[in-house]
Amino acid sequence: MRLSRYFLPVLKENPAEAQIVSHRLMLRAGMIKQSAAGIYSWLPLGLKVLKNIETIVHEEQAKAGHLAMLMPTIQSADLWRESGRYDDYGEEMLRIKDRHGRDMLFTPTAEELITDIFRGHVTSYKDMPLTMYQIQWKFRDERRPRFGVMRGREFYMKDGYNFDLTKEDAMHAYNRHLVSYLRTYERMGLQAIPMRADSGPIGGDDTHEFLVLAETGESEVFYDSAVTDLTFGDRDINYDDKAQCQSIMEEFTTKYARTDETHDEALFAEVPQERRKVARGIEVGQIFYFGAKYSEAMGATVQDADGKQVPVHMGSHGIGVSRLVGAIIEASHDDKGIIWPEGVTPFHCGIVNLKQGDAEADAACEDLYSQLTKAGLEPLYDDRNERAGGKFATMDLIGLPWRLTVGPRGLKNGVVELTCRKTGDSEELTPEAAIAKVIAQYM
Ligand code: ATP
Ligand code: MG
């Protein structure tokens, strides 16, 4: 992409309405624009990051054997009356009437609709287990929408649902989700710690929230600092292997890590003092096992191997896809701007032409651009007729992990400059060596 043809409405001033750094930087980098309280348009740069996160979620869900589908945002109230949640959900549910006076709503989550789909088609234990998910817009009429996309009213969420014959199978689904979520967040360059949590209006007993530690997080969390040493890394996982999924789940959830709702002072006191941490975190996901709560209320039963009708065991699982854009920035920025992890960056590499219009510099930039593109990467070439200082400030603000700087002086010596956004380190390399190094980062 050439910046001269892109839509990147960067702001020089700090927007007054933004209280936290991710909101400020998303507005300043031209990623989003508010259209109403807690409702945002995603501008081209913001959408690219959102889509990259979405792609990682899809890929990791596919590996775990979960099936992607899509349910409507507008749903009929009738289904929600069956489960009792039409009344229970309260003010957070956006209620709408259609032209015939029928009660509709904008989906805040989709347990009811998926259960309806399930009961309409699945009648036998032979068709289970089944896990389906979607990535779809949700609406919750939050009392205090704030912090930009972190607490929006409209937000983009992955929500998945598992249907199993037995509690044991449903717990395998739970563990499988826990493992797949660990991998998902790590690919985004994030450490998200599973913490024992409270189930809220979804209901149920077993639940973990995934929290990214950050001072601006809305949740107070209590944990054994040893949990921050755990990483998933590139170990092989077979999602059908119940024992393996369970042992990874145990590895990541046995040490003390809880949100304030489930915090237990007496248990916490058993953690060695120097490892006891109280901090703040951003909830980027949650998994639940709730057994037969919805299947009983809504008659989602199947015939088991003995011919008996039994309600199915269910769980649900959510990832805050749009919130993650903000959470990643909270975890990765400096005073100049965003620092994108390579896994989610909107462009792989910036190219800054120090002297636009200089025949040699222009040709060298074009060449870098086409070589990176041929290698399957997406560069962002700042080809505007602007001062170098302004170009650097923009590149730093939008946070691409690598920047190639090209100018007549370097070219005389046969070199361009390659700069790492995270460390700030620069080195002079031949164009070929610089390209090879950038490509190697993404292999
Ligand atoms: P919170 O406690 O932050 O209100 P929640 O527990 O109600 O969230 P879930 O029902 O667990 O949310 O939804 C799954 C995920 O969706 C959450 O982990 C979070 O990352 C994201 N999410 C929830 N509410 C919002 C919101 N208002 N704006 C952006 N993302 C949200
Ligand atoms: Mg939650």
Side-chain angles (χ1 to χ4, degrees):
M1 178 56 60
R2 290 158 207 276
L3 202 44
S4 60
R5 297 184 199 167
Y6 204 51
F7 182 62
L8 188 72
V10 298
L11 306 179
K12 291 223 167 59
E13 304 297 324
N14 273 331
E17 73 269 27
Q19 299 164 13
I20 62 170
V21 69
S22 59
H23 188 194
R24 199 153 58 228
L25 289 174
M26 285 181 76
L27 291 170
R28 284 197 50 212
M31 295 176 65
I32 51 168
K33 176 147 175 55
Q34 182 175 309
S35 86
I39 303 179
Y40 292 87
S41 297
W42 291 78
L43 306 184
L45 191 75
L47 181 65
K48 264 177 153 300
V49 179
L50 188 71
K51 290 286 159 193
N52 288 344
I53 293 172
E54 180 177 356
T55 299
I56 292 175
V57 173
H58 275 305
E59 286 174 2
E60 293 304 323
Q61 288 301 302
K63 286 179 197 160
H66 305 154
L67 308 175
M69 47 106 67
L70 193 60
M71 290 178 273
T73 53
I74 306 290
Q75 301 182 359
S76 159
D78 292 341
L79 272 179
W80 289 72
R81 290 196 174 102
E82 275 189 58
S83 72
R85 282 210 296 180
Y86 189 62
D87 294 326
D88 290 355
Y89 220 96
E91 299 268 284
E92 275 196 13
M93 180 182 277
L94 181 66
R95 295 156 206 262
I96 308 162
K97 270 199 201 302
D98 72 8
R99 66 197 300 165
H100 306 291
R102 281 190 284 255
D103 292 323
M104 313 290 285
L105 55 93
F106 197 115
T107 179
T109 171
E111 280 80 4
E112 283 75 1
L113 191 52
I114 191 98
T115 306
D116 184 54
I117 292 167
F118 180 87
R119 73 182 170 183
H121 294 286
V122 180
T123 53
S124 161
Y125 72 96
K126 290 178 192 147
D127 298 323
M128 294 206 288
L130 180 64
T131 296
M132 295 198 280
Y133 76 95
Q134 64 172 348
I135 300 181
Q136 176 63 295
W137 293 95
K138 302 293 183 307
F139 196 97
R140 295 183 190 171
D141 206 350
E142 300 274 355
R143 182 192 303 272
R144 281 186 69 200
R146 56 186 184 152
F147 302 160
V149 301
M150 296 266 258
R151 183 163 300 282
R153 291 197 295 166
E154 189 185 47
F155 60 98
Y156 205 39
M157 177 176 140
K158 174 262 175 181
D159 47 321
Y161 308 87
N162 66 287
F163 297 89
D164 288 278
L165 185 64
T166 63
K167 174 161 187 189
E168 187 200 326
D169 287 350
M171 289 318 291
H172 176 224
Y174 188 89
N175 299 339
R176 212 170 55 228
H177 280 87
L178 192 134
V179 174
S180 69
Y181 278 24
L182 291 170
R183 287 178 47 146
T184 302
Y185 298 120
E186 270 191 29
R187 277 188 61 190
M188 298 173 191
L190 275 182
Q191 179 167 49
I193 304 168
M195 301 201 180
R196 183 154 285 289
D198 185 63
S199 63
I202 307 263
D205 313 319
D206 282 286
T207 180
H208 281 88
E209 283 180 2
F210 289 77
L211 285 114
V212 173
L213 298 175
E215 276 167 30
T216 49
E218 291 187 283
S219 315
E220 184 169 38
V221 297
F222 302 81
Y223 63 97
D224 176 342
S225 64
V227 296
T228 59
D229 299 334
L230 298 169
T231 53
F232 194 86
D234 56 5
R235 54 180 118 181
D236 279 328
I237 161 91
N238 171 2
Y239 282 106
D240 290 332
D241 183 336
K242 287 187 177 175
Q244 190 191 16
C245 290
Q246 182 173 344
S247 96
I248 296 173
M249 184 278 286
E250 283 166 0
E251 176 186 343
F252 281 84
T253 60
T254 304
K255 295 205 170 63
Y256 194 96
R258 295 187 177 207
T259 62
D260 52 358
E261 296 136 345
T262 55
H263 177 57
D264 179 326
E265 269 302 329
L267 272 181
F268 195 43
E270 291 170 16
V271 177
Q273 168 125 44
E274 69 283 4
R275 294 197 340 226
R276 250 181 264 157
K277 304 282 176 206
V278 183
R280 304 201 68 81
I282 301 166
E283 181 194 331
V284 292
Q286 187 163 12
I287 55 175
F288 301 88
Y289 163 72
F290 44 69
K293 176 178 154 130
Y294 294 91
S295 52
E296 262 169 9
M298 297 180 63
T301 61
V302 294
Q303 196 162 55
D304 70 9
D306 305 325
K308 240 179 32 220
Q309 287 291 323
V310 292
V312 296
H313 289 259
M314 288 176 64
S316 70
H317 333 89
I319 293 182
V321 175
S322 51
R323 178 179 288 181
L324 272 164
V325 181
I328 291 168
I329 297 173
E330 288 295 327
S332 183
H333 67 269
D334 63 15
D335 50 9
K336 293 190 205 134
I338 302 166
I339 305 173
W340 290 117
E342 272 142 2
V344 300
T345 186
F347 293 97
H348 298 102
C349 180
I351 302 172
V352 169
N353 188 341
L354 293 177
K355 198 157 186 206
Q356 203 69 43
D358 174 273
E360 245 188 290
D362 290 1
C365 286
E366 290 297 336
D367 195 46
L368 292 171
Y369 187 87
S370 78
Q371 288 199 49
L372 286 168
T373 306
K374 273 193 203 117
L377 299 185
E378 248 189 303
L380 179 66
Y381 171 22
D382 192 344
D383 59 343
R384 298 169 307 163
N385 218 336
E386 294 260 336
R387 287 182 308 112
K391 291 189 174 187
F392 290 145
T394 299
M395 282 293 175
D396 284 343
L397 175 64
I398 68 171
L400 309 183
W402 298 95
R403 184 186 82 207
L404 287 163
T405 308
V406 180
R409 209 173 328 140
L411 288 174
K412 268 201 190 77
N413 301 322
V415 296
V416 297
E417 187 184 57
L418 177 64
T419 307
C420 172
R421 175 68 182 86
K422 191 169 175 179
T423 61
D425 293 344
S426 287
E427 52 183 332
E428 297 201 320
L429 296 167
T430 63
E432 298 70 39
I435 291 277
K437 186 157 178 183
V438 172
I439 293 170
Q441 306 304 318
Y442 293 99
M443 282 303 154

